[in-house]
Amino acid sequence: MNDRPVPPPAATPGLFPIPPLAEQERMIEAILFASAEPVSSAELARRLPEGCDVAEALAHLRSRYAGRGVVLVRVGEAWAFRTAPDLAWLMHSEQVEQRRLSRAAIETLAIVAYHQPVTRAEIEEIRGVAVSRGTIDQLLELDWIRLGRRRMTPGRPVTFVVTEAFLDHFGLESARDLPGLKELREAGLLDSRPLPGAAEAEAEEEDAEDVGQRPLFDE
Amino acid sequence: MNDRPVPPPAATPGLFPIPPLAEQERMIEAILFASAEPVSSAELARRLPEGCDVAEALAHLRSRYAGRGVVLVRVGEAWAFRTAPDLAWLMHSEQVEQRRLSRAAIETLAIVAYHQPVTRAEIEEIRGVAVSRGTIDQLLELDWIRLGRRRMTPGRPVTFVVTEAFLDHFGLESARDLPGLKELREAGLLDSRPLPGAAEAEAEEEDAEDVGQRPLFDE
Amino acid sequence: MVAQDAQEPGDGAAPAMAERLAGEALIVDVDGFEGPLDLLLTLARRQKVDLRRIPVLQLAEQYLRFIEAVRALRIELAADYLVMAAWLAYLKSRLLLPPDPAEDGPSAEDMAAHLAFQLERLEAMREAAARLMARDRLGRDIFARGAPEVVTVARSKQYSATLLDLMQAYARLRTRDDFRPYAFDRSDVFPMEAALERLRDMLGHQGDWAELAHYLPPGWRGAGKRRRSAMASTFAASLELAKQGRVELRQAETFAPIRLRPRRPGGQDNGHGGGDGGGAA
């Protein structure tokens, strides 16, 4: 794709022949595509080599895109590509709201992954703070953790393990593929910079009195 | 431009006839234009009405854009529109400052790309010097490398592989298209050749279970 | 030293001056090398031969000479450069001597071939890296859609987390466990207050010059940490007492034992005491 001769830079006008109209069209196409804002004809003329016929090239480009999935539209004095109006419905499904998992949730998840099967009390011991019910619920709902067997200790507390969906999401074959502490250190992850907002995160914890209360998945 | 009948939303499969191929092409065009990131074939299939032939429509779309100012490129299993490389000179105002990488980081990146999946010890063996934590960290942060499977050798070391973002950044369809890969392999320079007399036992063990780990280069 | 290389018979026809300049540039740049293999590769490139046909013996000699030259300049070398030097010296001797049939393990030729392979492979990776970086790159030569359209309608929330997030979270937890406030292990520390007290007491019964070590408490006179700690605090205490004018210190020469004696009340101004004290400081 590199075999096309490089046209002259715009900075040296007049020294080179004017590019053919089809080439001017390509140039405008690339500029409009890559620009974050609509681009005015004047700006296009400035960026193209001297002697280009921006209006003519734009007209060609516009008709080339007529009826396509994207169309060339005029926005005031400027030009931009937009999704064809009849395909607007295609864009709708796109919007899944990306949320970052809370620090409490990601830490709880990490503990389950590294220590499974693990009880809630054990999670709290490792984190050094209570684990809110919402955190566990969220991870259950995401289908990243599930209830494992009950621990055969007094109170028979439930344990948590990670799910297939978890392994799938994080691209792991098995939970044993998680890097160990030594590797984390070698990869420079142990001296991680404090995350933004890390300090406030503790505040979200609430207490939890429902340890081992769910008989749901008892086997 | 609104006179085309609105196709059925993707959420109601089977109830409506499959759109014609030209229409599927328009839809893919719209989706890919709307996204700055590559979109996987699987995602396209999910968003198009049931029964569409994504591969076929993509092939048509690609040839339609061949030689244009904007071209359809393949990035691993995903697709994206990108400006044509020969127009780079036009795009000054879109250029973003490239992060400067140390020589160590650049070499480490190349070693991961050409030898993947590769362990840290192998990187160090090739460079003849310890890999600093910052180097790996930086490449992980750029999302150019990621953790691959563990090597089934003693200690089960983690491996590193390159990412789709790496392919996207360097304009590669797949890691198989790395420049000079074939020549390097034929010259035996990608073999892991242990120091004579040392570590022969390890090499054997590796072959046994490791086969599934090299999907990139073994055809 | 490098210029001599150029005059050696059979050693390339490069002009001595250029060679010397190159040699000096190398020496100045010693910090710029990324390890012994990098240094070897640079030396090999100066031979302007195909890496596959590199004369390993000659290369080993060059490396060893280079290391010597650097050490003569008292530039500190990282250990792995020295390890490589030792290995190359060994390889060199193996290459020069007739093979010992009793010795098993890889032959000197195998070892040399492996070194050549390593150099070739490193060089190949360097070139590959350069070619990679020279490709048309996103954001520099090729560009993505500048105004991606994100249409917000569907309400599904998707929680995202990467493996990196997960690992960092876990690493954070585990390092928190490792953390404990810094606390000094005091069982092997002889505090200065104790030394001061002991010295004051003992000086009352002491008339003449005695070595500092003589004042160490019993149980702290052996070797190792306890002695070092007691010696340090006793010395510090002696300085304190000297400052207060209660003892005199002397030391015959650098590193000689430090000796002290109580200063006589209303005592004589004794000049050499002050001078020797300066030596001890």
Side-chain angles (χ1 to χ4, degrees), chain A residues 26 29 47 67 69 178 186, chain B residues 26 29 67 69 86 94 150:
Chain A
R26 288 182 75 232
E29 189 180 30
R47 287 176 64 178
L178 284 165
E186 283 171 356
Chain B
R26 286 184 75 234
E29 187 181 29
D86 67 292
E94 272 72 37
R150 284 175 180 281

Side-chain angles (χ1 to χ4, degrees), chain A residues 100-101 105-114 144 162 166 170 172 178-179 184, chain C residues 161-173:
Chain A
R100 288 189 72 80
L101 224 46
I106 191 92
E107 287 184 3
T108 303
L109 183 61
I111 292 167
V112 175
Y114 277 91
W144 281 350
V162 292
F166 166 86
F170 291 95
L172 296 166
L178 284 165
L184 296 180
Chain C
T162 65
L163 192 54
L164 202 58
D165 295 334
L166 195 70
M167 286 159 38
Q168 276 170 338
Y170 190 65
R172 204 161 58 220
L173 285 167

